[in-house]
Amino acid sequence: MERSLIAFSGTGVKEDDYTNCFQKISSQNSSPKIIIFFSDYQDLWYYAKQLKEDFPEATSIGCSTCMNFSTEGYSEKGLSAMAIYNNVECSSGLLYEVSRHPKNYCRHINEALKSLNSTDNTICLEFTTSGSRCEELVLDTFEEILLGTDIKVAGSTAGSNKNIRTSAVALNGDIYIESCAFIFIHNLSGKIHLYRENLFRPTSHVLLTTDVDCENLRVYEYDNKPAAKVLCELLHVDRENLLETLKLNPIGRIEGNNILISEAAQIMDDDSIVYYSRLYNQTRVVLLEQDNYDSVWDETQNAIKKMTDKPSFSIAVHCYSRKVMLEEQSRFDDFSKRLITTLGKYIGVCGFGEQIMFNNLNQSLVLIIFE
């Protein structure tokens, strides 16, 4: 029996897509322990319900996505699922009121932890609904409980189809909004590795954030000057074209040797800029530019090989904006093929934010690799 397998169907007819995936998941004549699944927002409820009815012994967790992509293919409609059959232990839970008071549900995290026999080689995989600027609040909640442990944290802000900003998460047959679904996965066969990939490199333009509204993800000033004016001057563009230009020249938060990307969401009338992930006051950031994709993908491949010779299975967390950028530049096929070569058996979610440890990112790729 295989340890895990990937099921994918993208016809856009939910009954057919589920039947195709069900046949593959049930082909092992054994119930999976975990099913991780992604689908378009409109049909998530159907897949969640069917998976729980047909595999009641499995913990089933997932979210809506802008695109399904996996070892088996990719599409904007349909269902993709990863079934894990053995050598894992898991426990799961939910955080509610994520845009206001997720810390009220810390006991749900503690209860899930208590049901594990061990937290060695364990990850907290989380999926959070989008649109309410809640990711940092959710990550702060996990940090309060998990900081100081060896448990890794990674996940995605749920995505949705084009022109639909509503998203949902799923756990054990039900779907939820304004919530975070999480699962602790203890790998009994080896380590779990995290890797973050950027398709952008730093320029020489390093700035200091000097006036920030953290709660509303809004930067008023860089280097004591209006934020939009500073970036217009550096990029040699007028204000009307700044937002579009920032898609290829985003801001990176400098944290040690890491660069964590924040994507601009709005240019405001007062020349402040609203971002999709939080920037902090009096911190250094750097203006970024596109890197050479093939060189980046070579670096990712080499890094994963150093981590583990042969991944057992992997989860890829991809940003919607990065997906659009690769499609516009006719490089998404190349990206997909590279992932297959690098990861082997994998499933991917495409959402509106990426989380790695206690950081919320944009325009990035986060890889979760199980030995």
Side-chain angles (χ1 to χ4, degrees):
M1 184 177 73
E2 294 189 54
R3 185 184 182 201
S4 68
L5 56 77
I6 306 296
F8 164 77
S9 182
T11 70
V13 179
K14 64 179 183 294
E15 294 84 0
D16 293 345
D17 287 329
Y18 181 74
T19 297
N20 293 338
C21 290
F22 168 78
Q23 289 173 347
K24 187 160 187 181
I25 295 171
S26 58
S27 66
Q28 300 299 296
N29 297 316
S30 175
S31 176
K33 291 185 178 295
I34 301 170
I35 300 174
I36 300 166
F37 68 100
F38 308 116
S39 81
D40 48 290
Y41 169 72
Q42 292 93 330
D43 295 330
L44 184 70
W45 67 272
Y46 176 79
Y47 299 125
K49 176 175 175 287
Q50 292 299 124
L51 285 167
K52 192 58 184 176
E53 287 181 359
D54 290 330
F55 303 100
E57 296 176 7
T59 298
S60 53
I61 186 170
C63 68
S64 54
T65 181
C66 305
M67 168 182 276
N68 289 309
F69 65 106
S70 71
T71 313
E72 301 300 308
Y74 59 86
S75 71
E76 292 188 356
K77 297 286 286 183
L79 172 66
S80 62
M82 171 183 282
I84 307 168
Y85 294 91
N86 54 55
N87 290 332
V88 290
E89 179 192 19
C90 73
S91 61
S92 61
L94 291 158
L95 303 179
Y96 303 109
E97 298 183 280
V98 290
S99 65
R100 294 171 291 167
H101 307 296
K103 286 192 177 182
N104 286 348
Y105 305 94
C106 283
R107 65 182 178 84
H108 295 184
I109 302 172
N110 283 317
E111 286 169 1
L113 279 174
K114 286 176 184 175
S115 68
L116 294 174
N117 291 319
S118 171
T119 57
D120 293 339
N121 301 322
T122 297
I123 186 165
C124 176
L125 176 65
E126 50 79 24
F127 303 115
T128 301
T129 48
S130 62
S132 57
R133 301 173 179 174
C134 62
E135 291 90 343
E136 281 85 4
L137 292 177
V138 169
L139 291 172
D140 286 349
T141 304
F142 283 117
E143 184 174 19
E144 184 173 307
I145 306 298
L146 302 179
L147 188 65
T149 73
D150 292 327
I151 297 173
K152 295 178 169 65
V153 178
S156 178
T157 308
S160 58
N161 305 100
K162 193 181 295 184
N163 301 323
I164 300 175
R165 299 304 295 181
T166 306
S167 67
V169 299
L171 182 67
N172 292 331
D174 294 313
I175 66 170
Y176 302 86
I177 59 172
E178 182 66 10
S179 301
C180 169
F182 66 89
I183 182 171
F184 289 107
I185 304 176
H186 174 207
N187 186 13
L188 302 175
S189 296
K191 295 180 180 179
I192 302 170
H193 303 280
L194 296 183
Y195 186 80
R196 175 187 45 80
E197 178 186 276
N198 287 345
L199 290 177
F200 300 92
R201 63 188 172 217
T203 67
S204 59
H205 303 300
V206 177
L207 307 169
L208 185 70
T209 57
T210 49
D211 189 358
V212 178
D213 179 350
C214 290
E215 185 175 345
N216 292 304
L217 314 184
R218 190 167 178 173
V219 176
Y220 288 93
E221 292 181 354
Y222 288 121
D223 294 338
N224 297 305
K225 300 174 185 176
K229 287 186 178 179
V230 169
L231 296 183
C232 282
E233 290 176 7
L234 291 177
L235 293 167
H236 306 293
V237 296
D238 55 32
R239 195 175 179 283
E240 289 69 27
N241 294 316
L242 179 58
L243 188 61
E244 190 65 25
T245 303
L246 287 175
K247 291 179 181 178
L248 299 182
N249 293 95
I251 284 292
R253 294 127 58 194
I254 301 172
E255 289 198 7
N257 294 323
N258 295 323
I259 294 175
L260 310 177
I261 300 174
S262 291
E263 181 182 358
Q266 274 183 290
I267 311 298
M268 308 304 286
D269 290 340
D270 61 358
D271 285 330
S272 63
I273 302 175
V274 176
Y275 288 86
Y276 285 116
S277 58
R278 188 177 294 178
L279 293 165
Y280 297 92
N281 205 24
Q282 299 297 316
T283 58
R284 290 188 309 143
V285 299
V286 62
L287 191 63
L288 305 175
E289 63 184 6
Q290 284 185 287
D291 207 338
N292 179 280
Y293 294 171
D294 293 294
S295 296
V296 171
W297 292 335
D298 284 343
E299 185 179 341
T300 296
Q301 239 173 328
N302 292 334
I304 301 302
K305 284 180 180 177
K306 287 181 181 178
M307 290 176 181
T308 177
D309 290 335
K310 190 176 180 182
S312 182
F313 55 86
S314 304
I315 302 164
V317 179
H318 199 226
C319 183
Y320 172 75
S321 295
R322 215 179 100 133
K323 161 194 172 289
V324 171
M325 181 179 73
L326 289 173
E327 287 177 333
E328 288 176 347
Q329 297 174 17
S330 301
R331 296 303 306 271
F332 194 88
D333 273 344
D334 298 332
F335 165 69
S336 178
K337 290 172 184 174
R338 281 291 193 129
L339 281 185
I340 294 171
T341 304
T342 304
L343 301 177
K345 197 178 295 183
Y346 83 92
I347 188 173
V349 57
C350 181
F352 298 130
E354 307 78 60
Q355 290 90 52
I356 182 167
M357 293 309 293
F358 306 116
N359 294 304
N360 183 38
L361 320 173
N362 308 124
Q363 292 180 278
S364 304
L365 172 70
V366 171
L367 301 177
I368 306 163
I369 303 122
F370 291 77
E371 290 183 343

